[in-house]
Amino acid sequence: MAESTETGLPRAVAIAWGMQEVPQRGPSRGLSHERIVAAAVEIADADGLPAVTMQAVAKSLGFTTMSLYRYVSSKDELLRLMQDAALTVPETVRLDEDWRAALHQWAGLIRDAYRAHPWALSIPRDQTSVLMPNTMRTVDVALAAMRDLALDDAEKLGTIMVISQHAAGMVELELSLNDAGTLAITAEGAEMLGEVVTAERHPHLRALMARGHYVPLGGPSRDADGGADDAGADGAVPPPAEDVDEEYTFGLDLLLDGLAARAENR
Amino acid sequence: MAESTETGLPRAVAIAWGMQEVPQRGPSRGLSHERIVAAAVEIADADGLPAVTMQAVAKSLGFTTMSLYRYVSSKDELLRLMQDAALTVPETVRLDEDWRAALHQWAGLIRDAYRAHPWALSIPRDQTSVLMPNTMRTVDVALAAMRDLALDDAEKLGTIMVISQHAAGMVELELSLNDAGTLAITAEGAEMLGEVVTAERHPHLRALMARGHYVPLGGPSRDADGGADDAGADGAVPPPAEDVDEEYTFGLDLLLDGLAARAENR
DNA sequence: GCTCATCTGCGTAAGACATACACGGAGTAT
DNA sequence: ATACTCCGTGTATGTCTTACGCAGATGAGC
């Protein structure tokens, strides 16, 4: 699957690290990996990942589609390069002394990166990703943040995994909610849901929804219906408030609490 | 984007909940949403998500490609239905009394579901997903697990998000590693990496790698080279052992520790 | 029972896309 | 010079989703 060079490294890795030997004989090159990736990133930022087609990238550079294949062996390879390009960490990070604050900062950096390039979430992170320069740099910064934390290597790597996963997941959630307009449940829709989310099959969820969480039910539970929150023109119930931010912090703090507890037991 | 019915719910939601009114007048239907989704799931299980094309699904059912569109308005809708179909929770779950054990069980269920249908990880979970029957059922079970936990609704939902995210992420990682054979870094590749992962730019990572973690460096750090672990025929360094399982448990326990701490402070 | 609007499954075809392949010419090494 | 290498391009193929229209099946209402 992953094209590999004769060095045994995936080609995308070699390219990203600048290990790719450049040909000597032929005409001089009109393009470069950097320009191609930059063009692709620009398109993705503007119109989303589906808009990144080989033709679109080539056209934005003023070249033909096929010319890209002189630099990139497949679209997949281009996507990997884009992913690494998206997940940068500022060159100089001033990390807090306190490991807890530092990890908070670090998680924020990852979160910001994903927010700046949401499409990066749609590119699967496989084993190749961990060898890419920006991933490695990011890991290094995380390790710096945990310098004074009494954990062994494996635990630190585990922590990095879990926190970055969390940050990515929360951004994904946040975006799918912001996407909204897409989905504002109408009063009728809410009522229909209220009928199928039965109390026998979903006792706890049902109760929680009646309390106004998860998805606001307008229906059969006739208590909060004559609502003051019905601001929409056609009775559309607005999506739950911007509490994704809270969930992000909540989850992160949960993890850090756990870390603190674990580190203390040493 | 999400096709919505006249009820204001995304059509996939209506279908999954069986809210879709069936036409009366015409000829009887030869297919059903269930059969189509089941066929698609089977193909995905066998050959991966890319193998799920409308043509493949139709052929496996003995129908023409276009006939599917009488039941499903787009491939995207089919994917959403597949996702929900993949993430089932056993009808009767016997949860442990202890919330901690119960959450462990619950996380295991999610993990198992993803493991059984890895392709489900590739289908983006958007706002529609939370309205699907199996998602709601899963959430309900999680809430049951946390019945005795002193957290408010928002915190519980946050916990559910974080844990399921974690489980999904770990399965994704696990699979990308198992995929291997794809990527076994050769000694030469490791050496090349060793040259670019410099100590100035990656002081902590570098040290950690020298200790044999993350990615085994065979190169310039001439200490662990004459290796007893060089079992591969052509000097391929095997990928790091199956410690994904440990990372999963580690992260989960971290979260549960955090929860315990939070609940105690009430 | 007749009639007609409705619905079924199908065939065709259009429009994106990734990408294999070969060619003419540019540029370098000998 | 000459031969070799490599560039950018044009053409072409195969795969995929999906719009559109058709002939026949089926039930509703008279």
Side-chain angles (χ1 to χ4, degrees):
Chain A
M1 183 190 292
E3 310 284 350
S4 61
T5 62
E6 67 291 349
T7 71
L9 295 176
R11 180 163 260 126
V13 173
I15 293 174
W17 282 105
M19 295 171 175
Q20 196 73 347
E21 67 279 15
V22 272
Q24 300 297 344
R25 344 250 155 189
S28 51
R29 314 187 103 184
L31 280 172
S32 65
H33 298 117
E34 288 80 6
R35 285 187 62 202
I36 292 175
V37 172
V41 164
E42 197 169 348
I43 293 174
D45 282 342
D47 301 322
L49 201 57
V52 178
T53 66
M54 297 307 263
Q55 3 222 356
V57 174
K59 182 188 284 185
S60 88
L61 290 164
F63 282 75
T64 12
T65 306
M66 290 310 293
S67 65
L68 302 184
Y69 286 91
R70 287 278 172 205
Y71 300 82
V72 156
S73 68
S74 70
K75 184 177 181 181
D76 204 73
E77 189 172 293
L78 174 57
L79 289 177
R80 279 191 230 285
L81 292 171
M82 289 175 66
Q83 182 180 53
D84 191 60
L87 302 178
T88 59
V89 152
E91 197 50 42
T92 56
V93 201
R94 166 84 44 242
L95 286 172
D96 201 292
E97 285 294 328
D98 174 47
W99 64 264
R100 195 166 174 129
L103 277 180
H104 242 294
Q105 277 179 269
W106 180 78
L109 292 178
I110 293 191
R111 196 185 186 209
D112 291 343
Y114 277 121
R115 273 179 166 162
H117 306 290
W119 44 264
L121 288 163
S122 308
I123 304 175
R125 291 167 286 295
D126 67 348
Q127 202 177 358
T128 293
S129 311
V130 304
L131 301 180
M132 298 294 272
N134 278 322
T135 300
M136 287 195 153
R137 175 88 181 111
T138 303
V139 168
D140 189 70
V141 173
L143 290 174
M146 292 188 279
R147 202 183 323 122
D148 298 330
L149 196 52
L151 295 178
D152 62 36
D153 288 346
E155 288 172 324
K156 286 183 179 177
L157 288 176
T159 303
I160 292 172
M161 286 289 324
V162 179
I163 294 184
S164 56
Q165 201 74 53
H166 173 63
M170 287 301 128
V171 173
E172 194 161 12
L173 177 65
E174 176 183 353
L175 293 172
S176 78
L177 291 183
N178 281 4
D179 237 9
T182 308
L183 182 61
I185 302 171
T186 64
E188 189 184 354
E191 184 156 356
M192 297 197 66
L193 273 181
E195 280 170 31
V196 289
V197 185
T198 61
E200 320 102 44
R201 254 183 80 80
H202 316 77
H204 304 88
L205 215 209
R206 173 88 194 188
L208 187 142
M209 285 168 81
R211 270 175 252 132
H213 285 109
Y214 195 74
V215 169
L217 280 189
S221 64
R222 276 289 144 62
D223 37 61
D225 206 24
D229 54 358
D230 204 347
D234 49 24
V237 178
E242 274 297 1
D243 42 21
V244 183
D245 213 82
E246 286 176 35
E247 278 187 21
Y248 164 77
T249 318
F250 172 76
L252 183 53
D253 281 331
L254 228 47
L255 286 165
L256 298 183
D257 286 349
L259 273 186
R262 184 149 317 209
E264 268 176 32
N265 290 0
R266 307 267 151 127
Chain B
M1 181 191 292
E3 309 284 352
S4 60
T5 62
E6 68 290 347
T7 71
L9 295 176
R11 181 162 258 124
V13 172
I15 293 175
W17 281 105
M19 296 170 174
Q20 195 75 346
E21 66 280 13
V22 271
Q24 299 299 344
R25 343 247 159 192
S28 51
R29 317 186 103 183
L31 281 172
S32 66
H33 299 117
E34 289 79 7
R35 285 186 62 201
I36 293 176
V37 173
V41 165
E42 197 169 347
I43 293 173
D45 283 341
D47 302 321
L49 203 55
V52 178
T53 68
M54 296 307 261
Q55 4 221 0
V57 175
K59 183 188 283 186
S60 87
L61 289 164
F63 283 74
T64 19
T65 307
M66 289 312 291
S67 66
L68 300 184
Y69 285 91
R70 290 277 172 206
Y71 301 82
V72 157
S73 67
S74 70
K75 184 178 183 181
D76 203 73
E77 190 172 292
L78 175 56
L79 289 176
R80 277 190 230 287
L81 292 171
M82 288 175 66
Q83 181 180 53
D84 191 61
L87 302 177
T88 60
V89 151
E91 197 50 44
T92 57
V93 200
R94 166 88 38 244
L95 286 172
D96 200 292
E97 284 295 327
D98 176 45
W99 64 265
R100 195 164 174 129
L103 276 181
H104 242 294
Q105 278 180 268
W106 180 78
L109 292 177
I110 294 191
R111 196 184 185 209
D112 292 342
Y114 276 121
R115 274 179 165 163
H117 306 289
W119 45 265
L121 288 163
S122 308
I123 303 175
R125 290 167 287 295
D126 68 347
Q127 200 178 1
T128 293
S129 311
V130 304
L131 301 181
M132 299 294 270
N134 278 323
T135 301
M136 287 195 153
R137 175 91 181 110
T138 303
V139 169
D140 188 71
V141 173
L143 290 174
M146 291 189 278
R147 202 184 320 122
D148 298 331
L149 196 53
L151 296 177
D152 63 36
D153 288 345
E155 288 173 324
K156 286 183 179 176
L157 288 176
T159 304
I160 291 172
M161 286 288 325
V162 179
I163 294 184
S164 56
Q165 202 74 51
H166 173 61
M170 286 304 127
V171 173
E172 195 162 10
L173 177 65
E174 177 183 351
L175 293 172
S176 79
L177 292 184
N178 281 4
D179 238 8
T182 307
L183 181 62
I185 302 170
T186 64
E188 189 183 355
E191 184 156 354
M192 297 196 66
L193 272 180
E195 279 170 31
V196 289
V197 185
T198 60
E200 320 102 43
R201 254 182 80 78
H202 316 78
H204 304 86
L205 214 210
R206 173 89 194 186
L208 187 142
M209 285 168 80
R211 271 174 251 130
H213 285 111
Y214 197 75
V215 170
L217 279 191
S221 64
R222 278 288 144 64
D223 37 62
D225 206 25
D229 54 357
D230 205 345
D234 50 24
V237 178
E242 274 297 1
D243 43 18
V244 183
D245 212 82
E246 285 176 36
E247 278 189 21
Y248 164 78
T249 317
F250 172 76
L252 183 53
D253 281 331
L254 227 49
L255 285 166
L256 298 182
D257 285 349
L259 273 185
R262 185 149 315 209
E264 268 176 33
N265 290 0
R266 307 267 153 131

